[in-house]
Amino acid sequence: MHTAATNQLVLYDTTLRDGAQGEDIHFSLSDKLRIAKRLDEFGIAYIEGGWPGSNPKDFSFFSQVKSLNLKQAKIAAFGSTRKAMLAVEEDQQIRLLLEAQSPVVTIVGKSWLLHVLEVLRTSEKENLAMIRDSVQFLKSHGREVIFDAEHFFDGYKSNKEYALQCIKAAEEAGADFIVLCDTNGGSLPWEIGQITSEVCSSCKVPIGIHTHNDGELAVANALWAIKSGARQVQGTINGYGERTGNCNLISVIANLELKMGQKVLPDGKLKELRELSLFVDEIANVRPNPKAPFVGRSAFAHKGGTHVNALQKLLRSYEHIDPALVGNHRRILVGELSGKSNIVLKAKELGIALEENNPNIQRVLNKIKELEAKGYEFESAEASFALLLRKLLSPYPSFFHLLEYHVSIRQLPSKNYKVCEATIKISIHGERVYTVAEGDGPVHALDRALREALVKFYPAIGQLRLEDYKVRIIDSTEGTASSIRVWVESTDGKEIWSTVGVSHDIVEASWLALFDSIEYWLLKKTENG
Ligand SMILES: [Zn+2]
């Protein structure tokens, strides 16, 4: 009797184990617990928490995750089959798998003869015994056991009989799922499809799929395996993982639910997809990929005037799905190619009603042209554009007045030390505020001084963070001297927005970009309550 329901397709997340093996991904214990909780709330069926045999942090995860009282997800501990020529009950790594006390244990084993002989340096027979003993032992301790057949597709291609013997050994020993792994990530979708369907027809145990993205095919490969009979799909949020990453569960989920008619999430959860993606990036301290399909900020961004015009008539014309289904939204970009349609749609996005024949539209277009000639670029600085529109179409009172600012750089070559100091004087609600702050450069120093000046009046400004900035020298079409464009990206932990400032002077350009960033946040905050 298998523990898993055989016909229901289930999601298996390995962000905390395989995903954590990605370059630059580091999770603390509390990071891992927060992610596990979020994945459970989202409706992921299995959460692989780590490898208890590999480090103490992973081991403590399993004791602490119990106190989270997860609603529905099953926690899986990950390990490998027993060592060669060692009794299973004497294998320390297997013992730790039991001590983790997770309801599910996933063990990886060899199914490619080349690895058995050359890497493990053991015999064909011993490897089969290792699989059988390990699965049986864990089953006898009441665990749901998932067997990951490592390098299965490569193994199957080079020695089909032996690869099948490996998974038969796991099946006979009572495994609840057998997962076919494209460990090196080099297989093609049709190969995965054919092999998966051959395996499905010869096994009674439900089959799962675990793919890597080395050929940029991890998602396609997983979907094809599902179409060919796989009932479990393994992957990571945002495709984190070693080398080029694992199968991205975000894209898998969206495709399954929206394109393949496969329900894998509880009702109403799909629209949290973007939020989940951003949440995990935030914890991992990874900059969200703007081009991420479905959830990236550019996923539904439209720029070309003809596209925007067509979108106004029929949204379907240039969008493969309604962005709201996955919690994303449409963005109309403005810039040189802008026509009146872009302005109308953009204004609508900002909650400003505007008819196409409104004479103010021409004013906006003229202003954009004028600023672009100076070196402004609004395509990647939407918040500055939103403010520009608001100022021209429905003005709002200013939040504070700048009286003066000053930036100086102090060099102490003997100490190899360089610091930027900014002072700011502003007037706010009739009060004069004067602050000084240090930073790594003018943008950083001004940002700190400005926020310090405002924190008394807007305490929530403490959540605001300068995420990134770029300084660029540009040739403006005005002739004369070249200008400097400063681009700033800010976040309050929930939203990310970008602003821009242009001047002949780097300090002024920095100030303009920062001013827009803070003003944008204040405006949104006061309007959304
Ligand atoms: Zn893997």
Side-chain angles (χ1 to χ4, degrees):
M1 190 44 204
H2 298 296
T3 326
T6 48
N7 43 10
Q8 171 83 34
L9 175 61
V10 291
L11 301 172
Y12 183 109
D13 179 276
T14 179
T15 306
L16 303 178
R17 201 271 308 170
D18 228 2
Q21 279 170 227
E23 196 176 351
D24 302 329
I25 304 283
H26 306 282
F27 294 129
S28 67
L29 177 56
S30 78
D31 291 342
K32 294 183 80 161
L33 292 165
R34 282 174 72 196
I35 291 175
K37 190 161 190 290
R38 187 72 188 84
L39 292 173
D40 173 55
E41 283 162 5
F42 183 71
I44 301 282
Y46 291 84
I47 300 170
E48 194 172 83
W51 191 327
S54 78
N55 64 71
K57 179 174 77 186
D58 277 13
F59 192 80
S60 351
F61 170 85
F62 292 97
S63 61
Q64 297 205 19
V65 76
K66 284 182 222 140
S67 57
L68 293 180
N69 296 317
L70 299 185
K71 282 187 275 189
Q72 54 82 35
K74 294 188 211 171
I75 294 291
F78 181 86
S80 78
T81 51
R82 69 158 170 84
K83 282 204 182 85
M85 313 310 283
L86 180 73
V88 65
E89 53 280 355
E90 279 164 33
D91 190 305
Q92 168 75 358
Q93 182 260 148
I94 298 262
R95 281 232 313 278
L96 286 169
L97 277 174
L98 282 182
E99 281 172 27
Q101 294 184 319
S102 57
V104 182
V105 173
T106 300
I107 49 167
V108 63
K110 300 288 184 195
S111 59
W112 186 1
L113 195 53
L114 174 89
H115 265 259
V116 175
L117 303 175
E118 305 288 332
V119 180
L120 277 186
R121 303 217 166 139
T122 190
S123 70
E124 304 170 34
K125 264 180 100 176
E126 176 64 4
N127 180 56
L128 294 175
M130 285 154 66
I131 297 172
R132 204 176 295 117
D133 292 353
S134 310
V135 172
Q136 228 158 37
F137 180 75
L138 294 164
K139 280 306 291 178
S140 73
H141 283 80
R143 301 299 192 270
E144 179 177 340
V145 177
I146 297 177
F147 177 69
D148 276 6
E150 194 185 27
H151 295 115
F152 183 78
F153 295 95
D154 295 317
Y156 193 93
K157 282 183 250 175
S158 82
N159 187 332
K160 179 173 164 177
E161 286 67 36
Y162 188 72
L164 285 172
Q165 279 175 37
C166 293
I167 60 173
K168 281 285 163 200
E171 177 173 34
E172 283 158 20
D176 296 280
F177 264 111
I178 289 170
V179 179
L180 313 180
C181 302
D182 187 29
T183 310
N184 292 357
S187 299
L188 295 165
W190 38 96
E191 297 171 333
I192 298 267
Q194 194 196 335
I195 295 172
T196 305
S197 81
E198 282 173 26
V199 172
C200 286
S201 61
S202 70
C203 283
K204 288 183 209 72
V205 180
I207 297 300
I209 182 73
H210 177 112
T211 56
H212 279 259
N213 205 31
D214 299 76
E216 215 177 8
L217 293 166
V219 171
N221 285 346
L223 296 180
W224 210 312
I226 291 163
K227 224 175 143 45
S228 310
R231 307 320 299 150
Q232 178 191 112
V233 55
Q234 300 196 345
T236 62
I237 302 301
N238 301 328
Y240 295 173
E242 222 153 344
R243 307 186 306 277
T244 55
N246 279 57
C247 171
N248 183 353
L249 270 190
I250 296 286
S251 300
V252 165
I253 290 168
N255 279 303
L256 284 172
E257 292 246 343
L258 297 170
K259 307 286 176 78
M260 292 168 73
Q262 289 260 19
K263 197 159 166 41
V264 284
L265 293 176
D267 285 340
K269 286 294 174 183
L270 185 63
K271 62 179 191 305
E272 292 176 17
L273 197 65
R274 177 162 196 266
E275 218 181 297
L276 172 70
S277 163
L278 292 175
F279 175 85
V280 175
D281 272 346
E282 173 82 16
I283 290 187
N285 201 14
V286 167
R287 274 172 60 73
N289 173 13
K291 295 210 175 300
F294 298 98
V295 297
R297 67 192 295 269
S298 301
F300 301 94
H302 305 281
K303 179 163 146 190
T306 51
H307 287 203
V308 174
N309 198 291
L311 272 171
Q312 261 187 316
K313 295 173 191 136
L314 182 66
L315 292 171
R316 236 177 33 240
S317 59
Y318 285 96
E319 280 175 359
H320 72 130
I321 59 157
D322 174 358
L325 292 170
V326 290
N328 208 341
H329 56 271
R330 178 175 309 116
R331 285 166 60 237
I332 306 300
L333 305 179
V334 287
E336 276 176 88
L337 301 173
S338 300
K340 289 190 175 177
S341 308
N342 294 51
I343 306 293
V344 171
L345 275 189
K346 188 77 204 176
K348 197 170 151 196
E349 201 185 300
L350 300 166
I352 306 169
L354 198 61
E355 295 297 321
E356 190 127 0
N357 52 13
N358 186 317
N360 281 329
I361 297 177
Q362 197 53 50
R363 272 180 66 210
V364 174
L365 283 172
N366 293 345
K367 187 74 186 166
I368 292 170
K369 284 217 170 80
E370 181 197 319
L371 290 169
E372 282 186 341
K374 281 192 178 152
Y376 272 83
E377 208 253 81
F378 291 106
E379 268 136 24
S380 54
E382 290 207 314
S384 284
F385 182 74
L387 291 174
L388 175 76
L389 266 193
R390 283 296 307 264
K391 281 171 196 159
L392 292 170
L393 300 172
S394 67
Y396 53 91
S398 59
F399 298 95
F400 60 93
H401 292 284
L402 173 71
L403 301 171
E404 64 174 82
Y405 63 78
H406 175 81
V407 172
S408 63
I409 294 167
R410 270 184 292 140
Q411 288 261 17
L412 285 94
S414 58
K415 290 185 185 160
N416 196 15
Y417 178 72
K418 179 176 153 184
V419 72
C420 212
E421 190 181 86
T423 55
I424 284 184
K425 269 185 213 164
I426 58 169
S427 116
I428 178 164
H429 306 324
E431 202 178 307
R432 276 171 173 244
V433 188
Y434 175 74
T435 52
V436 56
E438 290 183 340
D440 298 331
V443 183
H444 191 214
L446 278 170
D447 175 59
R448 285 178 141 182
L450 181 57
R451 288 198 285 132
E452 215 175 298
L454 294 170
V455 72
K456 186 178 141 195
F457 304 91
Y458 308 103
I461 208 163
Q463 297 153 10
L464 221 66
R465 225 174 43 233
L466 183 64
E467 188 85 338
D468 196 6
Y469 69 88
K470 284 183 203 133
V471 177
R472 195 158 187 180
I473 297 171
I474 40 162
D475 297 313
S476 67
T477 49
E478 279 179 330
T480 62
S482 55
S483 298
I484 290 156
R485 179 166 64 224
V486 172
W487 173 90
V488 162
E489 190 177 79
S490 312
T491 182
D492 57 2
K494 287 182 220 124
E495 207 199 326
I496 296 175
W497 62 94
S498 317
T499 52
V500 64
V502 176
S503 167
H504 296 305
D505 169 39
I506 183 174
V507 175
E508 190 185 13
S510 308
W511 166 261
L512 291 169
L514 282 171
F515 180 84
D516 269 11
S517 165
I518 301 238
E519 187 163 62
Y520 178 80
W521 179 77
L522 287 169
L523 186 64
K524 281 206 84 150
K525 217 180 115 46
T526 44
E527 289 185 347
N528 301 336

